[in-house]
Amino acid sequence: MNDTILVTGACGQIGTELVLALRKIYKNVIASDLKEPIGELKDTGEFVRLDVLYKNGLNDCVKRFKVTQIYHLAAVLSATGERNPEMAWRINMKGLRNILDVCVKNGIAKLFFPSTIAVFGPTTPRVNTPQFTVMEPNTIYGISKQAGERWCDWYFQKKGLDVRSLRYPGLISYKTKAGGGTTDYAVDIFFEAVEKKQYTCFLKADTVLPMMYMPDAIRGTIELMEAPSQKISTRSGYNFAGFSFSPAELATVIQTQMPEFAISYAPDFRQQIAESWPQSIDDAVARQDWSWKPEYSLTDMSEDMLRNIAAMHTSV
Ligand code: AKB
């Protein structure tokens, strides 16, 4: 396809896989980050070193490559955000404001903004959390993403910017590890299962959270962005669900494939963050509007993770 796509935060957990998936569909996909890319990401297309806090640099890049769509993934996640609230606010808020302004200035056709289940808070109904409900996030990450959703909606209403967004649950993947989030245990557990046959979890055994396998997340993101504009009924963030589980439930699934695997628990400050988030998400509006449907079950995901991580370890 003829669009030219810019992806910010391209070296992160979502970015590395999203850029490669987009490059299979679009001829021109420019990856950008502060970090240098490695592997396939580096070898398959253009990379630009870009700091989303510098609007002029962003603007120059958009003009130089005649960018028509932006996926703005650069952000600080929940656990890092609680350790460094000032930095999280600056990157998540100022970064987004710069992108929104550059989009309007350059007539960008579509913008993707990743929101999160962290926009919900302790007063939100935690089971089957609806699309529209009480939202009182109490992490800086959640506050910044909720404000981001409101800005996105405002830019759609007032400036006509075609912005689309998903409230990602915890994302599980093996190609690039997660970093700085509260749901990261669900990635780390697989690497440690393969490497050490044991894992010490930083959340309590019965802490249920919404999660999704990365192939579903990537497919859903692209499906949302390719849906006709008239089908998009919310410009803040769509609830987006895969499956839900607790660390103990995940350990049991891993043990069916690796009986010797052992888990222990040492909850830290991330426990409080996890307890402020939903346990499961109602994504009926996404299913209705643009036919969203996840494919991977918890067992499918677990088998695929263990198989791929084991293969990565035998090939080095
Ligand atoms: C985090 O744990 O901070 C993220 C998220 C749920 O948005 N993975």
Side-chain angles (χ1 to χ4, degrees):
M1 285 202 247
N2 282 335
D3 276 289
T4 297
I5 299 189
L6 173 66
V7 181
T8 72
C11 298
Q13 189 199 11
I14 305 174
T16 43
E17 298 203 33
L18 185 63
V19 167
L20 298 181
L22 288 169
R23 280 182 178 157
K24 293 201 171 110
I25 307 171
Y26 296 92
K27 245 189 5 238
N28 301 312
V29 179
I30 298 137
S32 75
D33 208 302
L34 278 175
K35 283 190 280 197
E36 285 298 313
I38 50 167
E40 227 186 321
L41 188 66
K42 184 176 176 187
D43 301 335
T44 53
E46 193 80 48
F47 174 81
V48 177
R49 215 181 128 82
L50 209 56
D51 183 344
V52 294
L53 293 178
Y54 291 97
K55 208 198 265 188
N56 290 347
L58 263 176
N59 204 50
D60 290 348
C61 173
V62 165
K63 280 198 177 344
R64 181 171 144 222
F65 291 99
K66 300 189 172 53
V67 170
T68 55
Q69 289 189 27
I70 300 181
Y71 288 69
H72 173 49
L73 305 182
V76 172
L77 299 187
S78 57
T80 307
E82 290 313 281
R83 288 198 179 106
N84 199 336
E86 199 55 50
M87 175 190 75
W89 184 255
R90 226 157 42 91
I91 293 177
N92 293 1
M93 203 76 285
K94 181 77 184 145
L96 173 64
R97 293 291 320 281
N98 284 345
I99 290 279
L100 287 164
D101 281 345
V102 166
C103 280
V104 170
K105 195 166 170 192
N106 292 280
I108 291 295
K110 279 184 219 170
L111 169 66
F112 177 76
F113 169 65
S115 188
T116 162
I117 54 162
V119 294
F120 301 115
T123 52
T124 301
R126 292 188 72 202
V127 176
N128 262 334
T129 302
Q131 174 73 41
F132 303 105
T133 185
V134 179
M135 293 167 91
E136 295 186 308
N138 63 3
T139 60
I140 288 299
Y141 173 59
I143 296 167
S144 68
K145 286 289 181 175
Q146 195 202 29
E149 283 194 5
R150 303 319 315 148
W151 273 109
C152 286
D153 188 64
W154 189 86
Y155 268 77
F156 172 72
Q157 304 292 344
K158 301 286 158 66
K159 311 271 181 187
L161 178 62
D162 185 350
V163 50
R164 304 170 184 208
S165 171
L166 293 170
R167 292 174 180 153
Y168 287 126
L171 297 179
I172 303 168
S173 65
Y174 59 88
K175 291 189 181 156
T176 306
K177 281 196 186 175
T182 301
T183 57
D184 292 10
Y185 91 83
V187 174
D188 299 343
I189 194 171
F190 286 102
F191 282 89
E192 303 230 344
V194 172
E195 285 158 19
K196 303 181 190 151
K197 311 263 180 266
Q198 98 84 39
Y199 178 65
T200 302
C201 185
F202 57 74
L203 297 182
K204 289 185 193 162
D206 60 353
T207 313
V208 176
L209 286 170
M211 303 274 181
M212 185 181 287
Y213 197 31
M214 191 60 91
D216 273 340
I218 299 295
R219 182 177 51 80
T221 303
I222 295 174
E223 282 174 8
L224 169 70
M225 287 297 275
E226 291 190 344
S229 186
Q230 67 274 14
K231 295 218 169 199
I232 309 299
S233 67
T234 176
R235 297 297 177 159
S236 44
Y238 274 102
N239 279 8
F240 189 49
F243 35 69
S244 290
F245 56 78
S246 67
E249 285 162 343
L250 180 56
T252 303
V253 174
I254 293 174
Q255 279 156 352
T256 59
Q257 292 144 70
M258 190 187 268
E260 66 279 32
F261 175 68
I263 187 162
S264 55
Y265 300 93
D268 66 14
F269 73 101
R270 288 168 280 193
Q271 182 63 34
Q272 207 188 346
I273 300 177
E275 282 173 15
S276 76
W277 290 351
Q279 295 185 329
S280 57
I281 296 288
D282 177 355
D283 60 3
V285 180
R287 286 172 184 256
Q288 165 81 33
D289 283 5
W290 44 278
S291 310
W292 160 243
K293 196 170 181 290
E295 279 173 5
Y296 283 85
S297 67
L298 170 54
T299 308
D300 298 337
M301 173 279 288
S302 177
E303 285 172 5
D304 206 52
M305 283 291 285
L306 288 173
R307 190 173 42 246
N308 280 290
I309 296 171
M312 281 157 64
H313 282 72
T314 48
S315 67
V316 285

